[in-house]
Amino acid sequence: MISEKMKYFVQNNSALRVMFEEGNRLRAKYGADKVFDFSLGNPNVPAPKEVKQAIIDVLNEEDPIILHGYMSNAGFEDVRQTIAESLNRRFGTGFQFKNLIMTVGAASGLNVILKTVLNPGEEVIVFAPYFLEYGSYVNNFDGKLVEISPDTDTFQPNLEEFEEKITANTKAVIINTPHNPTGVVYSEDTIRKLAAILEAKQKEFKSVIYLISDEPYRELVYDGVEVPFITKYYANTVVAYSYSKSLSLPGERIGYLAIPDEADGSEEMIVAAGIANRISGSVNAPSLQQKVIARCVDACSDIEFYDRNRMALYEGLKKCGLECIKPQGAFYLFVKSPVEDEKQFCEAARKYNILMVPGSSFACPGYVRLSYCVAHETIVNSLPVFAELMKEYQ
Ligand code: PLP
């Protein structure tokens, strides 16, 4: 008999599973080229060539006993030092190896930091729309998720409501920029204002509120947009980074947490996060992948491929009469549904073999998410089909 907690997750897993199975069913029935599956956030650009070379070099050059052995729960020191220096070069930060904890992707990083700081019943604020797994992660530690409603004009965080909803019981706030599912990058102005609100609330409640910056899409930005490095704006920031998207390595499960010295209780937090990594069952991040990414800190997947897809889908959907904010990062478009119930719109699209994720899967009904990490032809071939679909709404 499974636990009550898991019963809830099993029931709520079904929507995604149905979508995944539906994609496979449609491809088997009509052929892959007749199905326009925009539902998955799985990078379709291969990992950069540096990654393959690094795997070969690591296997040839490193001592296998050390390479495949147990290590400090926070990861290899030389790897953490290399990443720290790369961050310092790029963002003017002052990290040393001790500030970095290697994790099993961002998902594990988020769980580790929540395990590290959260007491049962404490609140974690998230901004809708948001990656729905945040709810599961907060639930893992019996925290309370507090949602801020979306600003659908800009999809920047709704700071007025944010200010109102911070309480003496707020322990953490999760932000994600570049953003899944909207593709928005939070502006420097937004980050400054958000930081000022947090500073004032910490004073008011004599509390510590951690800002957890979930950054798996940091390098995936377009039109020369800058992504502010959050630790420089607010001391109590912890960064959860991942190589899943920037190096197209989602299955390899590799990322890190960066806990700056300036964060309240940082020394204790760093020790605790290492232990949380261990007792969560991950023990440490995959050793081979740690060594690989240390040799690829300046590499990145082919962003131009995503950019070409972004522009083709964005312009194409606009021509079909759909409304959407122009994404500046990640690989998603968040499109306004032509009918209030976006699930109905997804159902209608499915009849045309178009698969999209309803916005309610990101706590933002009335919108649909399209992932453009697909073949370019899929986008080109889908546009006349979208035009047909939209005739139903004229
Ligand atoms: N956070 C966001 C916003 C994501 O979109 C994803 C994955 O899609 C993750 C975290 C998890 O990434 P990882 O593969 O590094 O665990």
Side-chain angles (χ1 to χ4, degrees):
M1 185 72 147
I2 63 171
S3 70
E4 292 306 316
K5 237 184 185 177
M6 280 313 296
K7 274 186 194 159
Y8 168 84
F9 288 112
V10 169
Q11 272 157 16
N12 285 276
N13 197 31
S14 56
L16 281 177
R17 203 183 52 225
V18 166
M19 177 115 42
F20 186 69
E21 282 166 7
E22 181 68 354
N24 288 339
R25 191 185 70 79
L26 291 176
R27 275 184 283 274
K29 188 165 174 193
Y30 299 103
D33 59 327
K34 304 281 184 316
V35 178
F36 310 105
D37 188 350
F38 295 102
S39 64
L40 293 179
N42 204 6
N44 70 324
V45 167
K49 60 180 182 338
E50 290 92 328
V51 170
K52 185 174 178 186
Q53 191 56 52
I55 293 171
I56 294 166
D57 292 346
V58 166
L59 288 174
N60 283 332
E61 292 167 18
E62 302 265 348
D63 176 344
I65 301 300
I66 293 173
L67 176 61
H68 302 303
Y70 284 123
M71 73 199 74
S72 154
N73 302 132
F76 289 120
E77 275 185 23
D78 60 330
V79 171
R80 291 149 68 204
Q81 185 62 30
T82 303
I83 297 169
E85 284 167 15
S86 159
L87 290 173
N88 297 344
R89 262 195 318 273
R90 290 164 64 202
F91 304 114
T93 45
F95 293 121
Q96 303 164 47
F97 79 86
K98 68 176 167 72
N99 301 106
L100 279 277
I101 290 151
M102 304 308 296
T103 61
V104 182
S108 172
L110 292 167
N111 274 282
V112 166
I113 194 60
L114 288 170
K115 187 172 180 66
T116 301
V117 300
L118 208 56
N119 294 301
E122 286 181 331
E123 292 165 3
V124 178
I125 297 182
V126 292
F127 295 92
Y130 63 91
F131 181 55
L132 222 56
E133 294 286 49
Y134 294 157
S136 319
Y137 303 162
V138 169
N139 180 289
N140 283 344
F141 309 104
D142 297 318
K144 188 174 159 218
L145 194 78
V146 176
E147 271 181 29
I148 307 296
S149 48
D151 170 351
T152 52
D153 289 333
T154 62
F155 286 111
Q156 296 278 325
N158 175 346
L159 294 179
E160 268 166 40
E161 189 178 321
F162 175 56
E163 193 164 8
E164 283 163 19
K165 285 200 172 159
I166 299 174
T167 70
N169 204 23
T170 304
K171 189 58 166 286
V173 177
I174 304 179
I175 58 169
N176 164 228
T177 169
H179 188 250
N180 174 11
T182 63
V184 160
V185 173
Y186 290 0
S187 67
E188 187 176 28
D189 184 50
T190 297
I191 299 297
R192 280 191 200 285
K193 286 181 180 151
L194 190 137
I197 292 170
L198 285 172
E199 297 282 5
K201 289 290 174 184
Q202 288 191 137
K203 276 207 187 97
E204 181 184 336
F205 295 123
K206 297 189 175 44
S207 64
V208 174
I209 306 172
Y210 292 107
L211 180 58
I212 301 172
S213 182
D214 176 26
E215 305 188 357
Y217 302 95
R218 163 165 287 281
E219 284 79 16
L220 302 191
V221 286
Y222 315 106
D223 303 332
V225 152
E226 297 269 325
V227 184
F229 199 79
I230 313 293
T231 61
K232 289 160 70 181
Y233 299 84
Y234 182 66
N236 285 331
T237 298
V238 175
V239 174
Y241 182 82
S242 160
Y243 295 90
S244 291
K245 319 287 174 167
S246 62
L247 293 182
S248 296
L249 294 174
E252 301 294 351
R253 314 305 306 138
I254 184 77
Y256 61 78
L257 285 172
I259 303 177
D261 287 339
E262 300 76 44
D264 193 274
S266 69
E267 267 180 45
E268 198 182 15
M269 230 193 338
I270 287 167
V271 173
I275 296 170
N277 214 11
R278 187 183 84 225
I279 64 180
S280 70
S282 300
V283 182
N284 56 251
S287 56
L288 174 62
Q289 293 309 325
Q290 288 190 46
K291 292 285 185 182
V292 167
I293 54 102
R295 293 174 185 235
C296 299
V297 279
D298 296 319
C300 190
S301 297
D302 184 0
I303 291 173
E304 278 174 19
F305 174 90
Y306 292 130
D307 195 9
R308 189 159 160 254
N309 278 1
R310 171 183 76 122
M311 291 313 294
L313 192 59
Y314 172 70
E315 296 294 349
L317 293 183
K318 262 199 332 191
K319 277 196 194 124
C320 295
L322 284 158
E323 280 175 47
C324 168
I325 194 153
K326 189 176 179 185
Q328 297 174 298
F331 37 51
Y332 308 107
L333 287 187
F334 206 50
V335 177
K336 191 164 169 36
S337 165
V339 283
E340 204 180 320
D341 180 357
E342 90 284 3
K343 287 188 181 155
Q344 240 180 45
F345 182 49
C346 289
E347 263 318 300
R350 198 184 292 198
K351 287 191 245 128
Y352 294 80
N353 289 351
I354 297 174
L355 297 179
M356 313 178 286
V357 185
S360 32
S361 296
F362 303 92
C364 189
Y367 289 79
V368 293
R369 189 194 78 174
L370 279 81
S371 163
Y372 52 82
C373 44
V374 296
H376 190 70
E377 303 76 67
T378 303
I379 293 177
V380 173
N381 296 337
S382 74
L383 293 176
V385 186
F386 269 109
E388 277 302 305
L389 165 67
M390 288 308 289
K391 282 188 190 154
E392 293 191 21
Y393 300 94
Q394 276 158 8

